[in-house]
Amino acid sequence: MMLVTTVIDADLAELARPFPTDFVERKDGSDYVAHHVVNQRLLSIVGPFDFELVQVIRGDIAAMPPDPSARSRRGKAGTPALQNIVVGGIWRLTCAIDGRQVRVEEVGDVGDVHNWAHDGARLKDAASDALKRCSMRLGLGLHLWAQEHYFLDQQLRAQHRSEEPATTDSARPQAPGRADRSMPAADE
């Protein structure tokens, strides 16, 4: 007799697992995970996904006069006014999570429009931000926003423990076609 253990919402639980601290960086007082790491983790959990641009957001940026007391070279020199440039966009992420098609939309903004020489580079910056925000709506990296108020991973693990049938075999079967997607635990 073969006993098959089904784990409900296994993808969701994996998405909710915090990133190991080795992947978390800090900039301007906020924790973040680099775009390429978020992309790899998302692919390792849900497989291929669709990420489509829904709307480009354009705007005008006022000039900043030179400030001799500023710390940066740009602050000291000032910045020109920019008209009708890309300042952000809305993207739609569609993927399969635990056998269900899920679609989320999020805005991504351009961190500093003067960092980029043209709108194409600004759009790429906004896309990176939007992918991280869409992923967060699925639970991936949510711990970075929630900080000490984060509980989703613990709640999902507790639900899984109560839903699993008792078995002497502790090995869990993997979903067909999925590679082992284990990552080091956040506290390792």
Side-chain angles (χ1 to χ4, degrees):
M1 175 186 211
M2 179 194 274
L3 178 63
V4 176
T5 303
T6 303
V7 178
I8 307 217
D9 293 335
D11 292 341
L12 184 59
E14 187 64 20
L15 286 163
R17 193 158 53 108
F19 280 96
T21 56
D22 291 354
F23 292 103
V24 179
E25 300 178 39
R26 191 156 188 83
K27 180 179 179 184
D28 300 329
S30 296
D31 292 339
Y32 76 98
V33 175
H35 171 88
H36 64 92
V37 175
V38 170
N39 201 359
Q40 290 177 80
R41 178 101 178 257
L42 186 60
L43 283 166
S44 75
I45 298 168
V46 303
F49 55 83
D50 288 329
F51 188 60
E52 60 185 296
L53 177 61
V54 174
Q55 179 182 349
V56 174
I57 301 171
R58 293 184 168 278
D60 298 337
I61 304 297
M64 294 296 293
D67 179 0
S69 65
R71 289 188 286 174
S72 71
R73 184 173 37 123
R74 187 180 328 154
K76 290 179 191 293
T79 58
L82 302 171
Q83 283 79 39
N84 196 34
I85 62 161
V86 171
V87 294
I90 299 172
W91 276 265
R92 179 179 300 129
L93 174 65
T94 306
C95 60
I97 299 175
D98 296 311
R100 296 179 299 250
Q101 183 175 345
V102 177
R103 179 177 295 134
V104 292
E105 288 186 8
E106 260 296 347
V107 67
D109 72 342
V110 180
D112 183 347
V113 296
H114 287 96
N115 274 349
W116 313 106
H118 52 77
D119 278 344
R122 290 183 190 100
L123 198 57
K124 284 174 37 178
D125 187 48
S128 176
D129 186 46
L131 180 66
K132 291 181 198 180
R133 294 188 59 77
C134 285
S135 297
M136 179 266 304
R137 295 286 178 220
L138 303 176
L140 182 61
L142 181 57
H143 66 287
L144 299 169
W145 278 272
Q147 294 291 314
E148 68 275 1
H149 302 288
Y150 188 65
F151 61 86
L152 181 62
D153 64 326
Q154 299 288 334
Q155 182 179 7
L156 290 171
R157 272 195 296 234
Q159 286 174 354
H160 287 164
R161 282 192 295 272
S162 68
E163 292 171 356
E164 290 178 1
T167 178
T168 58
D169 180 10
S170 62
R172 287 187 184 161
Q174 288 184 313
R178 295 267 173 107
D180 178 18
R181 49 185 184 198
S182 61
M183 255 183 98
D187 55 357
E188 289 182 353

